[in-house]
Amino acid sequence: MDDISKCPVMHGSATNNKGVSTSNKDWWPNQLNINILHQNDKRSNPMEVNFNYREEFMKLDYFALKKDLTDLMTDSKDWWPADYGHYGPFFIRLTWHAAGTYRTWDGRGGGGTGDQRFAPLNSWPDNGNLDKARRLLWPLKQKYGKNISWADLFILAGNVAIESMGGKTFGFSGGREDIWSPPEDIYWGQENQWLENKRYTGDRILETPLGAVQMGLIYVNPQGPDGKPDPLASARDIRETFSRMAMNDEETVALTAGGHTFGKAHGAASEDNVGAEPEGAPIEMMGLGWNNVHGSGKGSDAITSGIEGPWTANPTKWDNGYFDLLFKYDWELVKSPAGAFQWHPKNPDENDLAPDASDPSKKVTTIMTTADMAMREDPSYNKISKRFHENPDQFADAFARAWFKLLHRDMGPKTRYLGPEIPDEELIWQDPVPKGNSSFDITSAKQKIKDSGLSITEMVETAWASASTFRSTDMRGGANGARIRLAPQKDWQVNKPDQLSKVLGIYEGIAKEVNASVADIIVLAGTFGIEMASGKDVPFTPGRGDASIEQTDVDSFGVLEPLADGFRNFSKQDYTVSPEEMLLDKSQLMGLTAPEMTVLLGGFRSLGISNNSLGIFSKDTSKLSNVFFKRLLDMDIVWKPLGNKYIGTSRSNGNEVASASRVDLVLGSNSQLRAISEVYACNDSDEVFINDFIKAWTKVMNFDRFDLS
């Protein structure tokens, strides 16, 4: 019985044996995978059902934790000693790499979930040896338990590290909640080997939504594009990848110089000395990876990036040393002991040498990477770098602000912030929204909406257009603020600009008459439309505000534009990704479950919402009904493709009876989605359908109401 395949029981857990079973995906590789709508299931979460991390964080002895973190910075452990006797640079890198995966295109990544504990991030080449940093934090996590999430601890550790070395920080908010399994929804690239590069087309056009230049990197290759030491080419990569993280040139220079004011790179010997990453390491390593057999394997013998040396003469002190050295010397291209390209200063002065990381009696040369040289060679970066060099206070302030943005960009508006170190200043990238009036006459507003002459379809569609921009990934978008009135949203093709202009003109008049925000009237009208269509009361909570154009970072809102919205049967153009996959992606970004996605789409079709009239099976689009599901699953209809749509004909007489899109038909063709559709198509499901639609609708309308408990 040595062969596991001969064992007399079914090994459902034998995940590493190909002979035991083959997954559905192996059998049907083109199968639509809706698992992203089920991820982070409550069953994977070990916390009690009613656990509320935000409440627990407010019980935390915050300043006691900060003191413990400060003490940890200089409490060097033999099993992984601190460079220069200070872990500060190490924890800055941990924090940076936790937060730095954020990307604006889809709001995914970032430090908001503690996902660096899981694959693939825990084993990315760029995260080499950060497994040790997380283990150094374990005693504090163990001490403070549920009062501090791993996600918050990763971020706070970097802040404390900077402060412990004399740097300035802008503030900190807690409230990040841990996930408990790897996020399956994030597309990190098509490459199947670390540090491969298959993500560019044309003249180095980076694939959307990716932010890093190679598989397994956070940003750019520090040696230069594809390992070629060209500072100007590196600058191009840096500008592109940092802009995809919502950083401008000034913020990019501040972060690069500020981060490299501290610590060193590690490349004591060839990477051939380093073993497998954590996910590939043997079981006895207990989740640690990158076992290094060179010398002691740690301290001065450590191997991480392959680049070797500190950036400044005082690697554990905030100062202007980075710019002092960058502009003082001519730099020559050399190779590290590991064979990586790096730059050394020519004929450095004695006082510009740095101490050895393990032996302060020894002196070593400082270094720059090709990415650092880009801060000097690129004209825009050079101008900013020189200004920071000449004005250290500006540099310190710019770094503190950019660092705060890096750490908090995916947390959403300031109303979600928690803790005693929240900055007073409100920043435009936090998408500020003024408080609205929650006491206007709702009954009077409803009557004015009813008398406006707008159709139920127009009312519901406009509310959806406003609210469905919300992204649960970074808490951006949504109806609060009514930014659908402003550029760029008012001109998006998906929003039918002419119809939208007419509807908003009416709503602005009503809002003024009843002293309400336009944001509230948009949602109220859609909600009232559902009430009229269903005959049911639909919850509505006022209090939304109207953002101004001055409170809106127009460029950053461009990434919220839906390239496709299956709920409205809209696609801006033909894409290589199928419409049904884009429907799942949008649903997951919003935070919808598979049943919520299904019931909303079917309900919208019954109300006549479809950009191309496909999937409209109702004769009366003023009534919310389950007719879409009944017609979709009607065995009298045979569907055939015709261009970009599908035509349904009657089996009995051959007459054309319906037309639909791929998004419509997937609710009947995919086995999991069909199972849900069947629930709503049953003759006794009219009430269930309407109730579930109202619940899902209300959830969407309130996605961004962080002021509500």
Side-chain angles (χ1 to χ4, degrees):
M1 300 292 285
D2 290 338
D3 186 347
I4 193 170
S5 65
K6 297 178 182 178
C7 201
V9 295
M10 294 298 291
H11 284 267
S13 61
T15 58
N16 64 343
N17 190 287
K18 296 293 185 183
V20 174
S21 66
T22 305
S23 72
N24 284 346
K25 197 66 175 175
D26 293 325
W27 284 111
W28 299 283
N30 295 325
Q31 178 189 63
L32 182 67
N33 184 357
I34 71 169
N35 288 343
I36 64 169
L37 301 185
H38 307 324
Q39 67 176 356
N40 299 324
D41 188 281
K42 291 292 184 184
R43 289 173 295 182
S44 69
N45 190 332
M47 311 306 287
E48 55 266 32
V49 174
N50 296 321
F51 176 77
N52 185 318
Y53 172 64
R54 293 174 66 83
E55 291 179 0
E56 292 299 326
F57 177 81
M58 296 308 293
K59 301 174 186 176
L60 171 70
D61 191 337
Y62 178 78
F63 291 105
L65 172 57
K66 285 195 70 174
K67 183 181 184 306
D68 285 345
L69 279 168
T70 302
D71 292 343
L72 173 61
M73 296 298 156
T74 52
D75 185 14
S76 184
K77 309 295 184 184
D78 289 340
W79 62 269
W80 194 257
D83 293 337
Y84 316 107
H86 203 300
Y87 286 121
F90 196 29
F91 284 123
I92 289 173
R93 179 167 168 257
L94 172 78
T95 300
W96 188 308
H97 285 217
T101 55
Y102 173 79
R103 59 200 195 193
T104 59
W105 280 107
D106 56 9
R108 294 187 171 105
T113 62
D115 60 352
Q116 198 190 79
R117 292 137 60 223
F118 305 116
L121 297 182
N122 69 347
S123 294
W124 271 10
D126 221 4
N127 286 336
N129 288 324
L130 288 181
D131 50 347
K132 286 80 172 178
R134 293 189 293 273
R135 294 297 173 89
L136 287 168
L137 289 175
W138 165 239
L140 296 186
K141 171 59 178 166
Q142 188 174 35
K143 175 179 178 178
Y144 290 94
K146 62 185 179 182
N147 292 150
I148 186 73
S149 67
W150 276 113
D152 274 345
L153 189 57
F154 291 163
I155 301 301
L156 181 59
N159 255 26
V160 174
I162 291 170
E163 293 168 356
S164 71
M165 294 183 290
K168 172 185 175 184
T169 60
F170 193 74
F172 174 82
S173 167
R176 301 166 186 82
E177 193 162 358
D178 289 334
I179 57 173
W180 297 96
S181 58
E184 300 292 343
D185 61 303
I186 303 181
Y187 171 66
W188 295 117
Q190 61 179 296
E191 300 90 347
N192 55 22
Q193 290 186 23
W194 295 125
L195 304 180
E196 270 195 338
N197 174 10
K198 296 180 180 178
R199 54 190 60 199
Y200 285 94
T201 57
D203 184 17
R204 204 162 176 82
I205 305 301
L206 182 59
E207 180 184 358
T208 299
L210 302 179
V213 302
Q214 289 176 256
M215 172 62 79
L217 294 183
I218 301 296
Y219 298 122
V220 301
N221 188 326
Q223 298 185 63
D226 298 322
K228 299 173 183 177
D230 182 339
L232 288 177
S234 181
R236 180 178 178 179
D237 273 5
I238 293 167
R239 183 167 286 110
E240 177 65 23
T241 194
F242 271 73
S243 71
R244 290 182 177 223
M245 197 187 58
M247 298 293 177
N248 60 29
D249 279 5
E250 178 163 314
E251 292 165 328
T252 300
V253 174
L255 285 171
T256 302
H260 290 176
T261 293
F262 304 113
K264 69 181 292 287
H266 299 83
S270 168
E271 64 180 13
D272 295 340
N273 291 284
V274 179
E277 68 282 352
E279 288 297 315
I283 195 169
E284 65 270 18
M285 292 296 294
M286 293 294 287
L288 292 176
W290 298 293
N291 185 43
N292 178 10
V293 297
H294 172 68
S296 68
K298 52 195 176 183
S300 294
D301 293 325
I303 304 169
T304 305
S305 66
I307 294 170
E308 172 60 31
W311 286 270
T312 74
N314 299 292
T316 59
K317 179 183 178 183
W318 174 265
D319 57 22
N320 222 21
Y322 178 89
F323 291 122
D324 289 340
L325 298 183
L326 183 67
F327 289 114
K328 180 176 179 179
Y329 291 104
D330 292 327
W331 295 80
E332 59 182 347
L333 185 65
V334 300
K335 283 196 172 183
S336 74
F341 285 114
Q342 61 186 57
W343 300 75
H344 283 182
K346 293 182 179 179
N347 303 314
D349 294 338
E350 179 73 19
N351 60 355
D352 287 331
L353 299 178
D356 179 81
S358 300
D359 184 354
S361 68
K362 297 179 181 179
K363 292 288 187 177
V364 300
T365 184
T366 55
I367 61 103
M368 292 286 168
T369 69
T370 300
D372 294 307
M373 296 305 295
M375 300 298 108
R376 192 171 95 156
E377 300 303 318
D378 177 84
S380 175
Y381 291 156
N382 176 279
K383 184 177 179 180
I384 296 165
S385 294
K386 284 188 173 179
R387 174 162 55 84
F388 285 161
H389 185 209
E390 295 164 2
N391 300 276
D393 289 345
Q394 287 186 24
F395 171 43
D397 184 65
F399 173 73
R401 289 172 176 271
W403 178 259
F404 180 79
K405 181 179 179 180
L406 172 73
L407 273 48
H408 295 80
R409 190 68 177 85
D410 60 344
M411 285 199 71
K414 188 179 174 182
T415 53
R416 298 191 68 245
Y417 286 15
L418 297 176
E421 293 190 312
I422 300 172
D424 292 331
E425 184 176 345
E426 195 162 45
L427 306 162
I428 192 169
W429 57 261
Q430 294 172 323
D431 302 338
V433 176
K435 189 175 181 180
N437 176 22
S438 60
S439 59
F440 66 92
D441 189 334
I442 294 175
T443 302
S444 174
K446 283 184 175 181
Q447 187 60 50
K448 292 179 185 297
I449 292 168
K450 185 176 183 179
D451 295 341
S452 69
L454 293 174
S455 68
I456 289 176
T457 301
E458 289 172 321
M459 293 155 60
V460 173
E461 189 170 24
T462 301
W464 174 262
S466 182
S468 65
T469 55
F470 178 79
R471 304 193 307 196
S472 63
T473 50
D474 58 0
M475 308 299 171
R476 299 193 68 212
N480 198 10
R483 286 190 168 90
I484 198 171
R485 304 155 24 250
L486 309 172
Q489 293 185 37
K490 66 182 181 64
D491 300 313
W492 288 347
Q493 183 182 339
V494 67
N495 288 341
K496 300 179 180 176
D498 291 341
Q499 174 183 297
L500 179 64
S501 178
K502 179 193 77 171
V503 173
L504 290 180
I506 292 170
Y507 288 170
E508 285 167 356
I510 295 173
K512 189 173 182 179
E513 290 176 26
V514 301
N515 193 28
S517 67
V518 178
D520 266 344
I521 296 300
I522 290 171
V523 174
L524 177 62
T527 298
F528 184 43
I530 302 299
E531 287 185 338
M532 291 191 290
S534 66
K536 297 264 192 177
D537 290 333
V538 181
F540 169 76
T541 305
R544 297 167 184 82
D546 291 336
S548 67
I549 193 67
E550 291 76 21
Q551 294 170 310
T552 303
D553 186 354
V554 174
D555 290 340
S556 79
F557 273 90
V559 297
L560 298 183
E561 179 182 4
L563 301 179
D565 182 359
F567 294 96
R568 289 181 272 181
N569 248 339
F570 169 84
S571 184
K572 195 171 182 179
Q573 62 183 61
D574 291 333
Y575 299 99
T576 55
V577 179
S578 70
E580 57 269 31
E581 289 176 294
M582 297 183 82
L583 171 69
L584 292 183
D585 186 68
K586 180 173 179 61
S587 299
Q588 195 277 334
L589 280 178
M590 292 173 63
L592 295 173
T593 64
E596 289 167 340
M597 177 191 78
T598 303
V599 76
L600 283 169
L601 192 149
F604 287 161
R605 295 295 182 271
S606 76
L607 296 174
I609 295 176
S610 177
N611 250 37
N612 43 32
S613 298
L614 300 178
I616 307 299
F617 306 150
S618 304
K619 293 181 179 179
D620 182 0
T621 56
S622 67
K623 299 295 182 184
L624 179 64
S625 72
N626 59 352
V627 67
F628 171 84
F629 296 109
K630 290 182 176 181
R631 199 72 167 140
L632 181 72
L633 305 184
D634 188 343
M635 286 305 298
D636 184 53
I637 298 178
V638 178
W639 293 97
K640 294 182 179 179
L642 180 64
N644 289 329
K645 63 182 179 180
Y646 294 79
I647 301 299
T649 57
S650 172
R651 291 181 190 273
S652 55
N653 57 30
N655 292 337
E656 181 179 324
V657 294
S659 61
S661 69
R662 290 185 64 89
V663 164
D664 299 320
L665 294 191
V666 78
L667 297 187
S669 66
N670 178 273
S671 58
Q672 294 182 63
L673 296 177
R674 185 182 181 92
I676 298 170
S677 296
E678 287 170 347
V679 171
Y680 295 126
C682 289
N683 291 336
D684 62 353
S685 290
D686 296 39
E687 191 83 359
V688 171
F689 163 74
I690 290 176
N691 288 340
D692 285 358
F693 180 90
I694 289 173
K695 289 177 184 176
W697 169 268
T698 303
K699 176 179 176 178
V700 172
M701 293 303 114
N702 289 321
F703 266 144
D704 61 348
R705 291 301 302 276
F706 305 118
D707 55 323
L708 304 178
S709 59

